[in-house]
Amino acid sequence: MAKYLILIYGDEQQWAARTPEQVVRLTEGHRAFRAAAGTAVLDGNELAEASTSTTLRSDPAGALTTTDGPFLETKEALGGYYLIEAADLDRAIALCALLPEVSEGHSGVEIRPVGTHG
């Protein structure tokens, strides 16, 4: 079984403006995803707003610098993730198609294989 990191992106302003009914539909959609995936879901969480992040970089001299917020300014922010196991990419795609963010105009889901080194 391969591992895949599922990255959920979207417009934080639109996420924050959801109605209570939309939040219920979102929650139900994630419950349906977890039920369909079963033990294939190894981990997953919603993330705090991108503005709460800290980015670390080193300058050419090797000194560590920190910056509040995400490194890149984009309209879409990383809002959550799942780590899943699936037989192949086709199975990962089939599971991720159940996520509600796939069908929202401002959101998207990225599926990335977890690399193995060694």
Side-chain angles (χ1 to χ4, degrees):
M1 289 279 226
K3 290 182 182 175
Y4 296 90
L5 186 61
I6 312 308
L7 302 168
I8 301 169
Y9 291 94
D11 183 326
E12 286 184 323
Q13 290 179 345
Q14 290 195 40
W15 282 337
R18 285 186 170 126
T19 66
E21 294 80 17
Q22 289 171 319
V23 171
V24 168
R25 281 195 304 275
L26 176 76
T27 301
E28 289 171 352
H30 280 272
R31 284 188 184 133
F33 166 78
R34 283 185 171 267
T39 60
V41 175
L42 304 176
D43 194 15
N45 280 295
E46 181 178 353
L47 300 176
E49 293 179 6
S51 63
T52 66
S53 66
T54 301
T55 300
L56 303 175
R57 298 265 181 214
S58 63
D59 65 20
L64 184 65
T65 60
T66 62
T67 306
D68 292 338
F71 178 67
L72 299 173
E73 291 294 328
T74 64
K75 185 173 181 178
E76 289 187 340
L78 179 61
Y81 71 93
Y82 286 104
L83 178 62
I84 66 168
E85 282 187 321
D88 55 30
L89 180 58
D90 289 338
R91 177 64 179 148
I93 290 170
L95 287 172
C96 291
L98 299 172
L99 290 167
E101 288 83 2
V102 170
S103 61
E104 291 182 349
H106 70 90
S107 297
V109 174
E110 178 181 344
I111 301 169
R112 188 174 298 184
V114 173
T116 57
H117 298 281

PDB file of all heavy atoms in Angstrom, residues 44-79:
ATOM      1  N   GLY A  44      -5.324  13.075  10.010  1.00  0.00           N
ATOM      2  CA  GLY A  44      -5.959  14.193   9.331  1.00  0.00           C
ATOM      3  C   GLY A  44      -6.399  15.238  10.326  1.00  0.00           C
ATOM      4  O   GLY A  44      -6.788  14.907  11.444  1.00  0.00           O
ATOM      5  N   ASN A  45      -6.300  16.487   9.910  1.00  0.00           N
ATOM      6  CA  ASN A  45      -6.698  17.596  10.773  1.00  0.00           C
ATOM      7  C   ASN A  45      -7.004  18.825   9.953  1.00  0.00           C
ATOM      8  O   ASN A  45      -6.461  19.015   8.859  1.00  0.00           O
ATOM      9  CB  ASN A  45      -5.584  17.956  11.762  1.00  0.00           C
ATOM     10  CG  ASN A  45      -5.546  17.026  12.940  1.00  0.00           C
ATOM     11  OD1 ASN A  45      -6.478  16.995  13.726  1.00  0.00           O
ATOM     12  ND2 ASN A  45      -4.479  16.254  13.057  1.00  0.00           N
ATOM     13  N   GLU A  46      -7.845  19.677  10.516  1.00  0.00           N
ATOM     14  CA  GLU A  46      -8.041  21.019   9.996  1.00  0.00           C
ATOM     15  C   GLU A  46      -6.902  21.861  10.558  1.00  0.00           C
ATOM     16  O   GLU A  46      -6.469  21.653  11.701  1.00  0.00           O
ATOM     17  CB  GLU A  46      -9.388  21.568  10.471  1.00  0.00           C
ATOM     18  CG  GLU A  46      -9.689  22.950   9.967  1.00  0.00           C
ATOM     19  CD  GLU A  46     -11.057  23.459  10.419  1.00  0.00           C
ATOM     20  OE1 GLU A  46     -11.822  22.701  11.020  1.00  0.00           O
ATOM     21  OE2 GLU A  46     -11.334  24.640  10.170  1.00  0.00           O
ATOM     22  N   LEU A  47      -6.412  22.805   9.782  1.00  0.00           N
ATOM     23  CA  LEU A  47      -5.333  23.671  10.235  1.00  0.00           C
ATOM     24  C   LEU A  47      -5.879  25.031  10.646  1.00  0.00           C
ATOM     25  O   LEU A  47      -6.926  25.463  10.154  1.00  0.00           O
ATOM     26  CB  LEU A  47      -4.297  23.850   9.120  1.00  0.00           C
ATOM     27  CG  LEU A  47      -3.636  22.564   8.631  1.00  0.00           C
ATOM     28  CD1 LEU A  47      -2.711  22.868   7.461  1.00  0.00           C
ATOM     29  CD2 LEU A  47      -2.880  21.877   9.754  1.00  0.00           C
ATOM     30  N   ALA A  48      -5.155  25.696  11.544  1.00  0.00           N
ATOM     31  CA  ALA A  48      -5.500  27.067  11.906  1.00  0.00           C
ATOM     32  C   ALA A  48      -5.274  27.965  10.689  1.00  0.00           C
ATOM     33  O   ALA A  48      -4.624  27.566   9.719  1.00  0.00           O
ATOM     34  CB  ALA A  48      -4.643  27.523  13.086  1.00  0.00           C
ATOM     35  N   GLU A  49      -5.802  29.175  10.739  1.00  0.00           N
ATOM     36  CA  GLU A  49      -5.677  30.112   9.619  1.00  0.00           C
ATOM     37  C   GLU A  49      -4.216  30.315   9.235  1.00  0.00           C
ATOM     38  O   GLU A  49      -3.321  30.289  10.083  1.00  0.00           O
ATOM     39  CB  GLU A  49      -6.288  31.455   9.989  1.00  0.00           C
ATOM     40  CG  GLU A  49      -7.790  31.406  10.162  1.00  0.00           C
ATOM     41  CD  GLU A  49      -8.366  32.756  10.564  1.00  0.00           C
ATOM     42  OE1 GLU A  49      -7.612  33.761  10.606  1.00  0.00           O
ATOM     43  OE2 GLU A  49      -9.573  32.801  10.832  1.00  0.00           O
ATOM     44  N   ALA A  50      -3.981  30.535   7.949  1.00  0.00           N
ATOM     45  CA  ALA A  50      -2.621  30.727   7.439  1.00  0.00           C
ATOM     46  C   ALA A  50      -1.910  31.883   8.131  1.00  0.00           C
ATOM     47  O   ALA A  50      -0.687  31.858   8.304  1.00  0.00           O
ATOM     48  CB  ALA A  50      -2.656  30.955   5.930  1.00  0.00           C
ATOM     49  N   SER A  51      -2.653  32.878   8.571  1.00  0.00           N
ATOM     50  CA  SER A  51      -2.039  34.036   9.230  1.00  0.00           C
ATOM     51  C   SER A  51      -1.363  33.655  10.546  1.00  0.00           C
ATOM     52  O   SER A  51      -0.539  34.416  11.057  1.00  0.00           O
ATOM     53  CB  SER A  51      -3.069  35.129   9.472  1.00  0.00           C
ATOM     54  OG  SER A  51      -4.074  34.661  10.362  1.00  0.00           O
ATOM     55  N   THR A  52      -1.671  32.491  11.099  1.00  0.00           N
ATOM     56  CA  THR A  52      -1.064  32.060  12.362  1.00  0.00           C
ATOM     57  C   THR A  52       0.233  31.285  12.142  1.00  0.00           C
ATOM     58  O   THR A  52       0.891  30.907  13.104  1.00  0.00           O
ATOM     59  CB  THR A  52      -2.028  31.183  13.178  1.00  0.00           C
ATOM     60  OG1 THR A  52      -2.259  29.960  12.460  1.00  0.00           O
ATOM     61  CG2 THR A  52      -3.335  31.892  13.448  1.00  0.00           C
ATOM     62  N   SER A  53       0.598  31.064  10.884  1.00  0.00           N
ATOM     63  CA  SER A  53       1.792  30.265  10.602  1.00  0.00           C
ATOM     64  C   SER A  53       3.062  31.088  10.759  1.00  0.00           C
ATOM     65  O   SER A  53       3.045  32.318  10.753  1.00  0.00           O
ATOM     66  CB  SER A  53       1.717  29.665   9.202  1.00  0.00           C
ATOM     67  OG  SER A  53       1.761  30.685   8.228  1.00  0.00           O
ATOM     68  N   THR A  54       4.171  30.392  10.898  1.00  0.00           N
ATOM     69  CA  THR A  54       5.495  30.992  10.940  1.00  0.00           C
ATOM     70  C   THR A  54       6.349  30.275   9.909  1.00  0.00           C
ATOM     71  O   THR A  54       6.375  29.043   9.868  1.00  0.00           O
ATOM     72  CB  THR A  54       6.123  30.836  12.346  1.00  0.00           C
ATOM     73  OG1 THR A  54       5.275  31.470  13.301  1.00  0.00           O
ATOM     74  CG2 THR A  54       7.509  31.448  12.409  1.00  0.00           C
ATOM     75  N   THR A  55       7.022  31.032   9.067  1.00  0.00           N
ATOM     76  CA  THR A  55       7.889  30.470   8.041  1.00  0.00           C
ATOM     77  C   THR A  55       9.335  30.637   8.464  1.00  0.00           C
ATOM     78  O   THR A  55       9.739  31.717   8.913  1.00  0.00           O
ATOM     79  CB  THR A  55       7.643  31.179   6.691  1.00  0.00           C
ATOM     80  OG1 THR A  55       6.275  30.985   6.326  1.00  0.00           O
ATOM     81  CG2 THR A  55       8.531  30.628   5.601  1.00  0.00           C
ATOM     82  N   LEU A  56      10.116  29.576   8.331  1.00  0.00           N
ATOM     83  CA  LEU A  56      11.541  29.603   8.675  1.00  0.00           C
ATOM     84  C   LEU A  56      12.373  29.523   7.402  1.00  0.00           C
ATOM     85  O   LEU A  56      12.087  28.716   6.512  1.00  0.00           O
ATOM     86  CB  LEU A  56      11.905  28.411   9.560  1.00  0.00           C
ATOM     87  CG  LEU A  56      11.141  28.254  10.865  1.00  0.00           C
ATOM     88  CD1 LEU A  56      11.529  26.959  11.554  1.00  0.00           C
ATOM     89  CD2 LEU A  56      11.401  29.440  11.772  1.00  0.00           C
ATOM     90  N   ARG A  57      13.396  30.330   7.326  1.00  0.00           N
ATOM     91  CA  ARG A  57      14.354  30.335   6.216  1.00  0.00           C
ATOM     92  C   ARG A  57      15.722  30.682   6.796  1.00  0.00           C
ATOM     93  O   ARG A  57      15.819  31.280   7.864  1.00  0.00           O
ATOM     94  CB  ARG A  57      13.989  31.402   5.171  1.00  0.00           C
ATOM     95  CG  ARG A  57      12.664  31.201   4.526  1.00  0.00           C
ATOM     96  CD  ARG A  57      12.836  30.457   3.234  1.00  0.00           C
ATOM     97  NE  ARG A  57      11.537  30.293   2.609  1.00  0.00           N
ATOM     98  CZ  ARG A  57      11.208  29.238   1.910  1.00  0.00           C
ATOM     99  NH1 ARG A  57      12.050  28.272   1.723  1.00  0.00           N
ATOM    100  NH2 ARG A  57      10.015  29.143   1.378  1.00  0.00           N
ATOM    101  N   SER A  58      16.754  30.347   6.053  1.00  0.00           N
ATOM    102  CA  SER A  58      18.076  30.833   6.443  1.00  0.00           C
ATOM    103  C   SER A  58      18.583  31.754   5.351  1.00  0.00           C
ATOM    104  O   SER A  58      18.295  31.565   4.161  1.00  0.00           O
ATOM    105  CB  SER A  58      19.051  29.678   6.684  1.00  0.00           C
ATOM    106  OG  SER A  58      19.248  28.941   5.505  1.00  0.00           O
ATOM    107  N   ASP A  59      19.328  32.769   5.764  1.00  0.00           N
ATOM    108  CA  ASP A  59      19.890  33.697   4.786  1.00  0.00           C
ATOM    109  C   ASP A  59      21.175  33.094   4.222  1.00  0.00           C
ATOM    110  O   ASP A  59      21.603  32.016   4.655  1.00  0.00           O
ATOM    111  CB  ASP A  59      20.088  35.079   5.411  1.00  0.00           C
ATOM    112  CG  ASP A  59      21.110  35.103   6.535  1.00  0.00           C
ATOM    113  OD1 ASP A  59      21.960  34.174   6.616  1.00  0.00           O
ATOM    114  OD2 ASP A  59      21.086  36.060   7.326  1.00  0.00           O
ATOM    115  N   PRO A  60      21.803  33.745   3.246  1.00  0.00           N
ATOM    116  CA  PRO A  60      23.018  33.178   2.645  1.00  0.00           C
ATOM    117  C   PRO A  60      24.142  32.880   3.645  1.00  0.00           C
ATOM    118  O   PRO A  60      24.968  31.999   3.418  1.00  0.00           O
ATOM    119  CB  PRO A  60      23.446  34.247   1.638  1.00  0.00           C
ATOM    120  CG  PRO A  60      22.173  34.948   1.277  1.00  0.00           C
ATOM    121  CD  PRO A  60      21.367  34.945   2.541  1.00  0.00           C
ATOM    122  N   ALA A  61      24.159  33.599   4.768  1.00  0.00           N
ATOM    123  CA  ALA A  61      25.184  33.362   5.787  1.00  0.00           C
ATOM    124  C   ALA A  61      24.797  32.226   6.732  1.00  0.00           C
ATOM    125  O   ALA A  61      25.559  31.857   7.616  1.00  0.00           O
ATOM    126  CB  ALA A  61      25.435  34.638   6.579  1.00  0.00           C
ATOM    127  N   GLY A  62      23.589  31.679   6.572  1.00  0.00           N
ATOM    128  CA  GLY A  62      23.147  30.580   7.417  1.00  0.00           C
ATOM    129  C   GLY A  62      22.374  30.999   8.650  1.00  0.00           C
ATOM    130  O   GLY A  62      22.000  30.156   9.459  1.00  0.00           O
ATOM    131  N   ALA A  63      22.133  32.299   8.808  1.00  0.00           N
ATOM    132  CA  ALA A  63      21.369  32.774   9.965  1.00  0.00           C
ATOM    133  C   ALA A  63      19.890  32.469   9.749  1.00  0.00           C
ATOM    134  O   ALA A  63      19.347  32.672   8.665  1.00  0.00           O
ATOM    135  CB  ALA A  63      21.585  34.267  10.165  1.00  0.00           C
ATOM    136  N   LEU A  64      19.246  31.984  10.771  1.00  0.00           N
ATOM    137  CA  LEU A  64      17.825  31.628  10.711  1.00  0.00           C
ATOM    138  C   LEU A  64      16.973  32.879  10.803  1.00  0.00           C
ATOM    139  O   LEU A  64      17.189  33.735  11.657  1.00  0.00           O
ATOM    140  CB  LEU A  64      17.473  30.681  11.862  1.00  0.00           C
ATOM    141  CG  LEU A  64      16.059  30.145  11.899  1.00  0.00           C
ATOM    142  CD1 LEU A  64      15.807  29.248  10.688  1.00  0.00           C
ATOM    143  CD2 LEU A  64      15.827  29.368  13.172  1.00  0.00           C
ATOM    144  N   THR A  65      16.009  32.992   9.886  1.00  0.00           N
ATOM    145  CA  THR A  65      15.056  34.094   9.939  1.00  0.00           C
ATOM    146  C   THR A  65      13.652  33.508  10.019  1.00  0.00           C
ATOM    147  O   THR A  65      13.373  32.451   9.456  1.00  0.00           O
ATOM    148  CB  THR A  65      15.159  35.013   8.707  1.00  0.00           C
ATOM    149  OG1 THR A  65      14.896  34.246   7.535  1.00  0.00           O
ATOM    150  CG2 THR A  65      16.535  35.640   8.593  1.00  0.00           C
ATOM    151  N   THR A  66      12.787  34.197  10.726  1.00  0.00           N
ATOM    152  CA  THR A  66      11.390  33.778  10.818  1.00  0.00           C
ATOM    153  C   THR A  66      10.513  34.891  10.279  1.00  0.00           C
ATOM    154  O   THR A  66      10.829  36.077  10.413  1.00  0.00           O
ATOM    155  CB  THR A  66      10.985  33.456  12.276  1.00  0.00           C
ATOM    156  OG1 THR A  66      11.129  34.632  13.075  1.00  0.00           O
ATOM    157  CG2 THR A  66      11.839  32.332  12.851  1.00  0.00           C
ATOM    158  N   THR A  67       9.429  34.487   9.657  1.00  0.00           N
ATOM    159  CA  THR A  67       8.452  35.427   9.117  1.00  0.00           C
ATOM    160  C   THR A  67       7.075  34.981   9.569  1.00  0.00           C
ATOM    161  O   THR A  67       6.761  33.782   9.490  1.00  0.00           O
ATOM    162  CB  THR A  67       8.496  35.433   7.571  1.00  0.00           C
ATOM    163  OG1 THR A  67       9.828  35.688   7.158  1.00  0.00           O
ATOM    164  CG2 THR A  67       7.570  36.474   6.997  1.00  0.00           C
ATOM    165  N   ASP A  68       6.281  35.914  10.047  1.00  0.00           N
ATOM    166  CA  ASP A  68       4.907  35.590  10.406  1.00  0.00           C
ATOM    167  C   ASP A  68       4.109  35.359   9.138  1.00  0.00           C
ATOM    168  O   ASP A  68       4.260  36.079   8.153  1.00  0.00           O
ATOM    169  CB  ASP A  68       4.266  36.721  11.213  1.00  0.00           C
ATOM    170  CG  ASP A  68       4.886  36.867  12.595  1.00  0.00           C
ATOM    171  OD1 ASP A  68       5.475  35.875  13.081  1.00  0.00           O
ATOM    172  OD2 ASP A  68       4.785  37.959  13.172  1.00  0.00           O
ATOM    173  N   GLY A  69       3.257  34.364   9.182  1.00  0.00           N
ATOM    174  CA  GLY A  69       2.384  34.068   8.057  1.00  0.00           C
ATOM    175  C   GLY A  69       3.046  33.134   7.057  1.00  0.00           C
ATOM    176  O   GLY A  69       4.201  32.751   7.209  1.00  0.00           O
ATOM    177  N   PRO A  70       2.300  32.788   6.026  1.00  0.00           N
ATOM    178  CA  PRO A  70       2.832  31.862   5.023  1.00  0.00           C
ATOM    179  C   PRO A  70       3.928  32.523   4.200  1.00  0.00           C
ATOM    180  O   PRO A  70       3.978  33.749   4.088  1.00  0.00           O
ATOM    181  CB  PRO A  70       1.614  31.532   4.166  1.00  0.00           C
ATOM    182  CG  PRO A  70       0.692  32.669   4.359  1.00  0.00           C
ATOM    183  CD  PRO A  70       0.947  33.194   5.749  1.00  0.00           C
ATOM    184  N   PHE A  71       4.810  31.721   3.633  1.00  0.00           N
ATOM    185  CA  PHE A  71       5.907  32.241   2.819  1.00  0.00           C
ATOM    186  C   PHE A  71       5.373  32.896   1.553  1.00  0.00           C
ATOM    187  O   PHE A  71       5.816  33.945   1.151  1.00  0.00           O
ATOM    188  CB  PHE A  71       6.883  31.116   2.478  1.00  0.00           C
ATOM    189  CG  PHE A  71       8.021  31.558   1.610  1.00  0.00           C
ATOM    190  CD1 PHE A  71       8.981  32.447   2.090  1.00  0.00           C
ATOM    191  CD2 PHE A  71       8.131  31.113   0.312  1.00  0.00           C
ATOM    192  CE1 PHE A  71      10.028  32.870   1.299  1.00  0.00           C
ATOM    193  CE2 PHE A  71       9.173  31.526  -0.498  1.00  0.00           C
ATOM    194  CZ  PHE A  71      10.134  32.406  -0.005  1.00  0.00           C
ATOM    195  N   LEU A  72       4.420  32.260   0.909  1.00  0.00           N
ATOM    196  CA  LEU A  72       3.864  32.767  -0.339  1.00  0.00           C
ATOM    197  C   LEU A  72       2.508  33.423  -0.080  1.00  0.00           C
ATOM    198  O   LEU A  72       1.710  32.905   0.696  1.00  0.00           O
ATOM    199  CB  LEU A  72       3.681  31.630  -1.348  1.00  0.00           C
ATOM    200  CG  LEU A  72       4.945  30.899  -1.766  1.00  0.00           C
ATOM    201  CD1 LEU A  72       4.588  29.701  -2.639  1.00  0.00           C
ATOM    202  CD2 LEU A  72       5.883  31.828  -2.512  1.00  0.00           C
ATOM    203  N   GLU A  73       2.271  34.525  -0.731  1.00  0.00           N
ATOM    204  CA  GLU A  73       0.969  35.164  -0.649  1.00  0.00           C
ATOM    205  C   GLU A  73       0.112  34.625  -1.786  1.00  0.00           C
ATOM    206  O   GLU A  73       0.383  34.880  -2.949  1.00  0.00           O
ATOM    207  CB  GLU A  73       1.097  36.690  -0.759  1.00  0.00           C
ATOM    208  CG  GLU A  73       1.774  37.328   0.438  1.00  0.00           C
ATOM    209  CD  GLU A  73       0.962  37.204   1.717  1.00  0.00           C
ATOM    210  OE1 GLU A  73      -0.284  37.206   1.650  1.00  0.00           O
ATOM    211  OE2 GLU A  73       1.576  37.098   2.777  1.00  0.00           O
ATOM    212  N   THR A  74      -0.888  33.840  -1.461  1.00  0.00           N
ATOM    213  CA  THR A  74      -1.788  33.295  -2.468  1.00  0.00           C
ATOM    214  C   THR A  74      -3.213  33.445  -1.975  1.00  0.00           C
ATOM    215  O   THR A  74      -3.459  33.611  -0.782  1.00  0.00           O
ATOM    216  CB  THR A  74      -1.508  31.802  -2.742  1.00  0.00           C
ATOM    217  OG1 THR A  74      -1.772  31.069  -1.550  1.00  0.00           O
ATOM    218  CG2 THR A  74      -0.077  31.578  -3.185  1.00  0.00           C
ATOM    219  N   LYS A  75      -4.145  33.347  -2.894  1.00  0.00           N
ATOM    220  CA  LYS A  75      -5.545  33.425  -2.514  1.00  0.00           C
ATOM    221  C   LYS A  75      -5.963  32.140  -1.803  1.00  0.00           C
ATOM    222  O   LYS A  75      -6.758  32.161  -0.869  1.00  0.00           O
ATOM    223  CB  LYS A  75      -6.412  33.657  -3.744  1.00  0.00           C
ATOM    224  CG  LYS A  75      -7.866  33.877  -3.420  1.00  0.00           C
ATOM    225  CD  LYS A  75      -8.662  34.258  -4.639  1.00  0.00           C
ATOM    226  CE  LYS A  75     -10.108  34.497  -4.256  1.00  0.00           C
ATOM    227  NZ  LYS A  75     -10.918  34.908  -5.388  1.00  0.00           N
ATOM    228  N   GLU A  76      -5.423  31.006  -2.266  1.00  0.00           N
ATOM    229  CA  GLU A  76      -5.774  29.727  -1.650  1.00  0.00           C
ATOM    230  C   GLU A  76      -4.782  29.405  -0.534  1.00  0.00           C
ATOM    231  O   GLU A  76      -3.576  29.493  -0.725  1.00  0.00           O
ATOM    232  CB  GLU A  76      -5.745  28.605  -2.685  1.00  0.00           C
ATOM    233  CG  GLU A  76      -6.884  28.680  -3.669  1.00  0.00           C
ATOM    234  CD  GLU A  76      -6.929  27.475  -4.587  1.00  0.00           C
ATOM    235  OE1 GLU A  76      -5.911  26.777  -4.736  1.00  0.00           O
ATOM    236  OE2 GLU A  76      -7.996  27.230  -5.152  1.00  0.00           O
ATOM    237  N   ALA A  77      -5.316  29.025   0.605  1.00  0.00           N
ATOM    238  CA  ALA A  77      -4.496  28.655   1.745  1.00  0.00           C
ATOM    239  C   ALA A  77      -4.678  27.169   2.032  1.00  0.00           C
ATOM    240  O   ALA A  77      -5.722  26.588   1.729  1.00  0.00           O
ATOM    241  CB  ALA A  77      -4.905  29.468   2.970  1.00  0.00           C
ATOM    242  N   LEU A  78      -3.668  26.573   2.616  1.00  0.00           N
ATOM    243  CA  LEU A  78      -3.763  25.185   3.050  1.00  0.00           C
ATOM    244  C   LEU A  78      -4.636  25.160   4.293  1.00  0.00           C
ATOM    245  O   LEU A  78      -4.340  25.801   5.295  1.00  0.00           O
ATOM    246  CB  LEU A  78      -2.371  24.618   3.347  1.00  0.00           C
ATOM    247  CG  LEU A  78      -2.310  23.187   3.824  1.00  0.00           C
ATOM    248  CD1 LEU A  78      -2.890  22.230   2.779  1.00  0.00           C
ATOM    249  CD2 LEU A  78      -0.869  22.797   4.136  1.00  0.00           C
ATOM    250  N   GLY A  79      -5.754  24.449   4.213  1.00  0.00           N
ATOM    251  CA  GLY A  79      -6.714  24.454   5.310  1.00  0.00           C
ATOM    252  C   GLY A  79      -6.785  23.166   6.098  1.00  0.00           C
ATOM    253  O   GLY A  79      -7.325  23.126   7.196  1.00  0.00           O
TER     254      GLY A  79
END
